Amino acid sequence: MISKFEMVAKTFKGLENVLAEELKQLGAGNVVAGNRMVSFTGDLAMLYKANIGCRTALRILKPIYKFYAQDADELYNAVKDFAWDDYMNPAQTFSIDATVFSENFRHSRFVTYRVKDAIADYFMEKCGKRPSIRLNNPDFVFDVHISDNQVTLSLDSSGESLHKRGYRVAQTEAPINEVLAAGIILLTGWHGETDFVDPMCGSGTFLIEAALIAANINPGIFRTNFAFERWPDFDHELFDEIYNDDSRERPFTHKIYGSDISPKAVDIALRNIKSAAVGKYIEVKSQPLQSIEVAPSDEGGVLVTNPPYGERIEVEDMEALYRSLGEKLKNVFKGYKAWVIGYNTDLLDTIGLKPSLKFPLYNGALECELREYVIFEGTYANFRKEGRSVKNEDFKGERKPAASARRNFEPTFKDGKGDKPRRMGWRQQDGNHRGKDDEKRRERKPRFQVEGKPKNALEEKLRKPYYERKREEENRRRQSSATDAGGENVRQQPEHNEARTNRIIKFRQPQLSAEKEQPIVHGRRNSWRRNDLPEAKENKENEKTE
């Protein structure tokens, strides 16, 4: 086996630089940050270290097969040609996770089915037996990534997502993802140099991740298993050596403080803290945000919190909550750097403080924003005279998103099989696109183009574009109105045509109960008046008196 190979670490958008820095510190080579991923190289020990030590990685993938495919048949044939018996046998189980960004492959589930069929048919033809699919805890997890016509098939070394640390024994209604929480803390540049505060801690995710970062404890030591433990080349002794290595851990001399208005949330946080064995670093108490009058430390520190968004957790007055947060930051937490992640920017503006930094992040499917507030006493002018700045030099994220770098796609051809990539979508000198089915594309007629003359005025009108019909309608409306001497618009009444009126009445005569409603015709209009209206009642009374 090759001593070093390529690997890919998946992460959230916005945390790529943080993850790249983590991998460099672990000893990874050729680290390149991309879009929601970081590619790197290393050996088997690096694979184990990345799974155990990376705080901001969701999965660690090992690419094993790269090829080009233009359609489902090429995908099936290429996957079926691969030597799958080098990795698994028919008695083992597997699952497939597909990610697709291609015009040729629109549905990731369809890609999953075709890859599954190819692997099963490979073993059926060779061994007479096919492996089974298992969604929960399979022996092998294969990741399929398709970008345009480039297909990368990888082994998932993590199994379950790495955000599932293993220390969470209970949770509140909407806990923040552990990888996102660790990424936010690392984005601030905090590594345990000061106190850490979360005044709305919920189930304690920020508190636990901060303790693991401060003491430099590997986040993967709480997990019971990884997918690579079921690989044929799993080195048990090497893994035990890396798993039990605590030489990188360090002492933490400051404190981590958490509070929440809900006693139930505080109880859940204490249980999770105990499960993670970081209780000596953390203090938690039940206290509403509005009652906080004194900061835990006069020397300043870092405050990170995730207030309710109003999506899954609703508060009676969300604006009052965010307004209270701003007041406490300004009056209580002087000398602190506060970081707040939120989904609703209007609510974040309610805090009432000017953020020194805004950074986009995703919390699940919600597009959120991370804001930094530098809290200081006095005026900003005096703050600058002291030689201080609100700019955070330790911030690890990209202030302006840069173009993501990608490695060159090098297909893996087996026994010389496979075609060279075909160029798609580039233009020739005559300006026409060149690619698949060029002649058909040039001969194709525009949609909704109707040939021949219109049969009547209505068809002629409907053939016109919408904006032309709209303009003509507006012109007719202007022409039908005139302005008198006083400046008031007067509607020009059309000439009365008795025959036309009778036709309209005959055509539009509704079927109504004669006892309740009667049509009354005035010129060309049909209006309806109910018998129980005051005017109708007066008419009936006058008829009776007569």
Side-chain angles (χ1 to χ4, degrees), residues 14 47 64 69 92-93 181 191 201 248 250 337 350 355 366 386 388 437 452 467 487:
L47 178 72
I64 58 175
Q92 294 175 313
T93 59
H191 291 86
C201 65
R248 298 176 66 246
R250 56 176 177 256
K337 289 185 177 181
T350 311
L366 300 178
E386 296 175 0
R388 303 166 65 187
D437 298 330
Y467 66 90

Side-chain angles (χ1 to χ4, degrees), residues 118-138:
I119 297 175
D121 292 346
Y122 172 86
F123 282 102
M124 196 67 185
E125 293 180 3
K126 191 168 185 178
C127 307
K129 184 180 179 181
R130 55 187 296 167
S132 301
I133 293 286
R134 179 186 292 177
L135 299 179
N136 297 324
N137 199 26

Side-chain angles (χ1 to χ4, degrees), residues 194-195 197 292-303 325-338 353 373-379 383 386 388:
T194 60
D195 288 345
V197 182
I292 299 177
E293 300 296 338
V294 181
S297 174
D298 297 334
E299 300 177 356
V302 171
L303 184 150
L325 177 60
E327 292 174 357
K328 295 302 177 182
L329 292 179
K330 182 178 180 180
N331 300 319
V332 177
F333 293 95
K334 295 177 180 178
Y336 279 72
K337 289 185 177 181
L353 301 176
Y373 302 90
V374 179
I375 315 299
F376 52 85
E377 282 191 89
T379 63
F383 179 78
E386 296 175 0
R388 303 166 65 187

Side-chain angles (χ1 to χ4, degrees), residues 102-156:
S102 174
E103 291 294 328
N104 299 330
F105 303 92
R106 299 296 183 91
H107 301 286
S108 59
R109 185 170 294 181
F110 177 71
V111 171
T112 300
Y113 290 150
R114 294 301 288 165
V115 174
K116 181 263 296 181
D117 292 341
I119 297 175
D121 292 346
Y122 172 86
F123 282 102
M124 196 67 185
E125 293 180 3
K126 191 168 185 178
C127 307
K129 184 180 179 181
R130 55 187 296 167
S132 301
I133 293 286
R134 179 186 292 177
L135 299 179
N136 297 324
N137 199 26
D139 295 321
F140 292 91
V141 180
F142 298 110
D143 182 272
V144 181
H145 184 276
I146 300 180
S147 176
D148 197 6
N149 63 339
Q150 302 173 357
V151 184
T152 303
L153 206 152
S154 307
L155 274 172
D156 186 346

Side-chain angles (χ1 to χ4, degrees), residues 66-94:
K66 297 181 181 181
F67 56 93
Y68 294 91
Q70 301 288 353
D71 51 39
D73 292 336
E74 290 186 13
L75 174 68
Y76 173 87
N77 294 330
V79 173
K80 190 178 177 182
D81 287 340
F82 189 66
W84 291 103
D85 47 357
D86 292 344
Y87 294 89
M88 60 181 295
N89 59 65
Q92 294 175 313
T93 59
F94 71 98

Side-chain angles (χ1 to χ4, degrees), residues 216-380:
N216 204 25
I217 300 172
N218 288 328
I221 62 172
F222 306 100
R223 287 174 63 108
T224 57
N225 63 81
F226 295 91
F228 60 74
E229 296 181 53
R230 294 182 289 273
W231 292 4
D233 60 347
F234 175 59
D235 191 333
H236 198 284
E237 293 183 359
L238 178 62
F239 175 71
D240 284 346
E241 180 183 349
I242 296 173
Y243 181 86
N244 296 315
D245 182 14
D246 58 356
S247 59
R248 298 176 66 246
E249 296 183 8
R250 56 176 177 256
F252 176 51
T253 57
H254 293 276
K255 206 71 177 178
I256 298 171
Y257 300 93
S259 60
D260 199 278
I261 191 174
S262 170
K264 181 181 178 181
V266 171
D267 179 65
I268 292 174
L270 290 172
R271 292 169 60 189
N272 291 332
I273 291 168
K274 183 179 179 180
S275 175
V278 290
K280 62 181 179 180
Y281 307 123
I282 305 173
E283 291 184 9
V284 186
K285 60 181 177 180
S286 178
Q287 184 181 18
L289 173 68
Q290 293 79 359
S291 66
I292 299 177
E293 300 296 338
V294 181
S297 174
D298 297 334
E299 300 177 356
V302 171
L303 184 150
V304 180
T305 191
N306 177 35
Y309 305 160
E311 295 293 315
R312 288 184 289 178
I313 298 178
E314 294 185 0
V315 180
E316 292 183 0
D317 193 345
M318 295 291 294
E319 291 186 1
L321 174 65
Y322 279 77
R323 198 178 300 112
S324 298
L325 177 60
E327 292 174 357
K328 295 302 177 182
L329 292 179
K330 182 178 180 180
N331 300 319
V332 177
F333 293 95
K334 295 177 180 178
Y336 279 72
K337 289 185 177 181
W339 297 77
V340 182
I341 181 172
Y343 168 65
N344 191 327
T345 55
D346 293 334
L347 289 176
L348 289 174
D349 293 339
T350 311
I351 292 176
L353 301 176
K354 184 178 180 180
S356 58
L357 186 144
K358 297 179 181 180
F359 187 70
L361 282 175
Y362 277 86
N363 186 359
L366 300 178
E367 185 175 359
C368 299
E369 190 173 81
L370 179 66
R371 295 188 177 185
E372 181 195 23
Y373 302 90
V374 179
I375 315 299
F376 52 85
E377 282 191 89
T379 63
Y380 181 68

